[in-house]
Amino acid sequence: MPPRTIEWTGELDGCAKLIDQTKLPRELTFLEIRTSHEMFEAIRRLSVRGAPAIGIAGAMGAVLAIRDFTGSPDELRSEFKIACDHLVSARPTAVNLAWGLDRMRRVARQASTDIEAIKQALLAEAKAIRDEDEAMCRAIGAHGESLIKDGCGVLTHCNAGSLATARFGTALAPVYVAHNNGRPFRVYADETRPLLQGSRLTAWELGQAGIDVTVLCDNMAASLMKSGRIDIVITGADRIAANGDVANKIGTYGVALWAAAHQIPMYVAAPSSTFDFDLEDGRAIPIEHRSEDEIRRGFGSLTAPADVACYCPAFDVTPAGLIRGFITDRGRIDRPSREKIAALLT
Amino acid sequence: MPPRTIEWTGELDGCAKLIDQTKLPRELTFLEIRTSHEMFEAIRRLSVRGAPAIGIAGAMGAVLAIRDFTGSPDELRSEFKIACDHLVSARPTAVNLAWGLDRMRRVARQASTDIEAIKQALLAEAKAIRDEDEAMCRAIGAHGESLIKDGCGVLTHCNAGSLATARFGTALAPVYVAHNNGRPFRVYADETRPLLQGSRLTAWELGQAGIDVTVLCDNMAASLMKSGRIDIVITGADRIAANGDVANKIGTYGVALWAAAHQIPMYVAAPSSTFDFDLEDGRAIPIEHRSEDEIRRGFGSLTAPADVACYCPAFDVTPAGLIRGFITDRGRIDRPSREKIAALLT
């Protein structure tokens, strides 16, 4: 297994310990985060990334903000609120960061009038958020591992792996479970331009676990499928509409079209919390566009004319009809429909 | 128009002048090449690239090898043969380099017993190779330009442009002609990993010509097509089989699948010499695999674990059934078949 992405060492006098992902794939370095401000900086500079992992990091950062506090419970709650507001601003569009901090705020409101008890309750909640995420990933792995057959080729896109979660990941959880069960197979990792999460992170964490992994440029997967070396595609998801349309890292839709053209089943692995039943279908999902310099200066050097226009969406939407199945923590949904999704998850 | 990629200035006492493509897109620099050895180095370090442009460069390099020669015609022919053998070794797998030098060798054998006449005949042949290439590109442009409608979006992959030829290019020739005819449209250029010919070269040369160009990562074209902004795809080709199967830069097959899924016509522009009637279909086309470091070390920095395996084919094969038409110097072949191709080109 790859090392734990983020954990809390010890009790209230401990610290958060996380893999510095800005150093990957060159070196494995752990950061020991001892203040809320250090956690803010770690989140902002992407030392920790991936929706679930950021949620955990925010919760632990909130604990760090008040663990040395002395004063009245009301003063603590006031201090805690300021810290949470600050932490959430590190990645304002990261839904899980706000979600994790909301859980922490609820605990702060409900806890007793004893300062120490409040602090202990907050630490327990942060640890619970982390443990629940790991359990969720394990459940996805258990529900998906039988899809990975002896000797098969698995294509994945971006990094929905251990590094994006407490551990195990979502798309990669079935891969880790199948590997632990002794099954031989090979993973192909799209490098995933522009930010190269596939070549930098997915290839690194699978290599750490001793899993056979091969990196390819995003435009090479079609010919790889045609050559017969891919038996299944598994990706993660950022948001899933009620009808099964999936928003995920840019490029996922293209992979799904290629998989369909080669009759290769495409699965999407995600926790049940990723399904948004307020969204009828994928048309309503807003697509964030990112800095054009991610394309123009992708490798630290100028790789395009400095003033050329670039098209740089962060996500795309894959229609439900291209998805053979969902792998969730509550079970699998094969050949998904609005009704099947609602039946399992609502 | 972008500047001429390669030309000969003056007469026998002149020199070859070419754009140093290793400096693009950062700066436009011309190299004045005065010896055969300088041309060998320019070809080897990719200052000039693209099959037709390399063929021209080789022929001009051969002239430079003998223009100051004094001695008998037989001694000149012997010297010339050594120079050609050396030049071809600069890019041993470049078919056009060998082809251009073979034309020069034939002239050297046939020319008169007068040293000066031989030198003049060789210079004339090198200039003819260049001029024929430009005329071929112009013809492709004339046959394809009507496909580019007012306000349309054109997607291209890699660089089959002016920089790869004497001028105008193959895939981009219809684009230049339509632009010169005053038609407004937008080109979308896939960046084309791993070597980024799209973002470095296509975006640069279209920008030089004042053509509206937008760069995107290869994995973004599917969502761009879905958004309705692409009306036509035009790429070049490295080799075309008798049945119309096309070998071209890796990623072309994937683009063709996406175009088919969105009912967008896909055209391949190439000179008639690119059709290989000895090849029944695309299955027999050998696919070169390139250094894994092109993926692992994108432009000098480590973008994947240093020892990870990579899949790095240089080309893929697009089945004829995915191609709406060929644009050649002899005319267009819409909805191509083995019979239609043979009828126009043999």
Side-chain angles (χ1 to χ4, degrees):
Chain A
M1 289 302 310
R4 290 170 193 275
T5 303
I6 181 166
E7 60 186 327
W8 184 276
T9 61
E11 295 304 318
L12 263 180
D13 59 350
C15 68
K17 185 178 166 194
L18 52 87
I19 296 174
D20 185 352
Q21 297 191 35
T22 65
K23 297 282 200 301
L24 295 178
R26 294 181 304 284
E27 53 180 289
L28 173 60
T29 317
F30 291 90
L31 295 174
E32 298 199 338
I33 305 283
R34 298 181 182 282
T35 70
S36 177
H37 185 71
E38 284 174 19
M39 187 63 90
F40 175 89
E41 290 297 332
I43 294 170
R44 200 168 61 166
R45 72 170 174 261
L46 307 184
S47 288
V48 56
R49 36 63 62 193
I54 288 176
I56 299 161
M60 290 182 180
V63 173
L64 292 168
I66 49 81
R67 66 156 165 193
D68 297 325
F69 182 82
T70 51
S72 75
D74 278 351
E75 287 166 341
L76 182 145
R77 287 192 184 96
S78 167
E79 184 81 11
F80 189 75
K81 184 180 178 309
I82 292 167
C84 288
D85 290 348
H86 180 58
L87 280 163
V88 87
S89 71
R91 291 285 299 276
T93 59
V95 176
N96 276 56
L97 181 56
W99 168 87
L101 289 167
D102 280 348
R103 273 185 66 164
M104 298 296 285
R105 287 185 220 252
R106 271 199 299 278
V107 169
R109 281 196 298 273
Q110 291 166 6
S112 79
T113 54
D114 170 16
I115 284 276
E116 277 311 302
I118 297 174
K119 291 180 181 178
Q120 290 293 350
L122 288 169
L123 176 59
E125 185 72 2
K127 287 183 173 178
I129 290 173
R130 194 211 158 281
D131 292 347
E132 286 167 26
D133 188 63
E134 181 166 332
M136 176 274 290
C137 292
R138 277 183 192 277
I140 289 175
H143 290 303
E145 69 92 30
S146 67
L147 294 169
I148 296 171
K149 311 292 185 196
D150 254 25
C152 81
V154 182
L155 177 72
T156 190
H157 188 73
C158 196
N159 178 259
S162 189
L163 288 166
T165 60
R167 215 179 189 195
F168 302 111
T170 53
L172 296 188
V175 163
Y176 286 120
V177 175
H179 180 67
N180 288 346
N181 291 346
R183 220 167 301 142
F185 57 88
R186 172 172 292 170
V187 177
Y188 289 91
D190 276 349
E191 66 172 8
T192 319
R193 279 282 283 151
L195 295 183
L196 301 173
Q197 293 92 339
S199 55
R200 290 190 301 111
L201 305 177
T202 297
W204 179 84
E205 67 168 83
L206 293 176
Q208 288 284 309
I211 293 173
D212 183 351
V213 59
T214 296
V215 174
L216 64 160
C217 297
D218 302 318
N219 64 27
M220 296 168 180
S223 71
L224 190 65
M225 289 181 184
K226 194 180 183 187
S227 77
R229 276 170 284 185
I230 302 295
D231 301 287
I232 183 172
V233 178
I234 311 181
T235 73
D238 282 85
R239 218 200 278 202
I240 304 171
N243 74 332
D245 289 353
V246 170
N248 192 42
K249 181 65 57 198
I250 184 70
T252 304
Y253 170 53
V255 170
L257 286 173
W258 291 342
H262 296 93
Q263 288 90 46
I264 295 167
M266 160 111 182
Y267 285 85
V268 172
S272 42
S273 59
T274 302
F275 289 79
D276 182 345
F277 291 96
D278 292 335
L279 283 174
E280 278 296 303
D281 59 44
R283 285 175 300 184
I285 300 176
I287 300 298
E288 171 192 353
H289 281 253
R290 298 183 55 88
S291 163
E292 299 185 12
D293 272 347
E294 288 186 1
I295 296 179
R296 285 187 296 230
R297 296 168 190 274
F299 303 87
S301 54
L302 190 66
T303 55
D307 56 352
V308 76
C310 292
Y311 171 74
C312 192
F315 308 105
D316 58 25
V317 175
T318 302
L322 293 174
I323 294 161
R324 177 70 62 87
F326 290 109
I327 311 166
T328 83
D329 48 319
R330 298 203 203 152
R332 247 170 54 205
I333 306 165
D334 284 325
R335 304 195 182 274
S337 66
R338 187 183 298 272
E339 295 68 32
K340 285 186 191 174
I341 293 169
L344 183 71
L345 300 179
T346 58
Chain B
M1 288 303 309
R4 290 171 193 276
T5 303
I6 180 165
E7 59 186 329
W8 184 275
T9 62
E11 296 303 318
L12 263 180
D13 59 349
C15 68
K17 184 178 167 194
L18 52 88
I19 296 174
D20 185 352
Q21 298 192 35
T22 65
K23 296 282 200 298
L24 296 178
R26 293 180 304 283
E27 54 180 289
L28 173 60
T29 318
F30 291 90
L31 294 175
E32 297 199 337
I33 305 283
R34 297 181 183 281
T35 70
S36 177
H37 185 72
E38 283 174 19
M39 187 64 90
F40 175 89
E41 290 297 332
I43 294 170
R44 201 167 62 165
R45 71 169 175 262
L46 308 184
S47 288
V48 56
R49 37 64 61 195
I54 289 176
I56 299 161
M60 290 182 178
V63 173
L64 293 169
I66 49 81
R67 65 155 165 195
D68 297 325
F69 181 83
T70 52
S72 74
D74 278 351
E75 285 166 342
L76 182 144
R77 288 192 184 95
S78 166
E79 185 81 11
F80 189 74
K81 184 182 177 308
I82 291 166
C84 289
D85 290 347
H86 181 59
L87 280 163
V88 87
S89 71
R91 292 284 301 274
T93 59
V95 176
N96 276 57
L97 181 56
W99 169 87
L101 289 167
D102 280 348
R103 273 183 66 162
M104 299 297 285
R105 287 184 220 253
R106 270 200 300 276
V107 170
R109 279 197 298 272
Q110 291 166 6
S112 79
T113 54
D114 170 15
I115 283 277
E116 277 310 302
I118 298 174
K119 290 180 181 179
Q120 291 292 351
L122 287 170
L123 176 59
E125 185 73 2
K127 287 182 174 179
I129 290 173
R130 193 211 159 281
D131 293 346
E132 287 167 25
D133 188 63
E134 182 166 331
M136 176 274 291
C137 292
R138 277 183 193 276
I140 289 175
H143 290 302
E145 70 92 30
S146 67
L147 293 169
I148 296 171
K149 312 292 184 197
D150 254 26
C152 80
V154 182
L155 178 71
T156 190
H157 188 74
C158 197
N159 177 260
S162 188
L163 288 166
T165 60
R167 215 178 188 196
F168 302 111
T170 52
L172 296 188
V175 163
Y176 286 120
V177 175
H179 180 67
N180 288 346
N181 290 345
R183 218 166 303 141
F185 57 88
R186 172 171 292 170
V187 177
Y188 290 90
D190 276 349
E191 67 172 6
T192 318
R193 279 283 284 153
L195 295 182
L196 301 172
Q197 292 94 339
S199 54
R200 290 190 300 112
L201 305 177
T202 298
W204 179 84
E205 66 167 85
L206 293 176
Q208 288 284 309
I211 293 174
D212 182 351
V213 59
T214 296
V215 174
L216 63 159
C217 297
D218 302 317
N219 64 27
M220 295 168 180
S223 71
L224 191 65
M225 289 180 183
K226 194 178 180 187
S227 78
R229 276 170 283 186
I230 302 295
D231 301 288
I232 183 172
V233 178
I234 310 181
T235 72
D238 282 85
R239 218 200 279 202
I240 303 172
N243 74 332
D245 290 352
V246 170
N248 191 43
K249 180 65 58 197
I250 185 68
T252 304
Y253 170 52
V255 170
L257 287 173
W258 292 341
H262 296 92
Q263 286 92 47
I264 296 167
M266 160 110 184
Y267 285 85
V268 172
S272 42
S273 59
T274 302
F275 288 79
D276 182 345
F277 291 96
D278 293 335
L279 282 175
E280 278 296 303
D281 59 45
R283 285 175 300 183
I285 300 176
I287 300 299
E288 171 194 352
H289 281 252
R290 297 183 54 87
S291 163
E292 299 185 10
D293 272 347
E294 289 186 0
I295 297 179
R296 283 186 298 228
R297 295 171 189 276
F299 293 77
S301 52
L302 191 66
T303 54
D307 56 352
V308 76
C310 293
Y311 171 75
C312 193
F315 308 105
D316 57 26
V317 175
T318 302
L322 293 174
I323 294 161
R324 177 70 63 88
F326 290 109
I327 311 166
T328 83
D329 47 319
R330 297 203 203 152
R332 246 170 57 206
I333 306 165
D334 284 324
R335 302 194 182 275
S337 65
R338 187 183 298 271
E339 295 67 32
K340 285 186 190 174
I341 293 169
L344 184 71
L345 301 179
T346 57

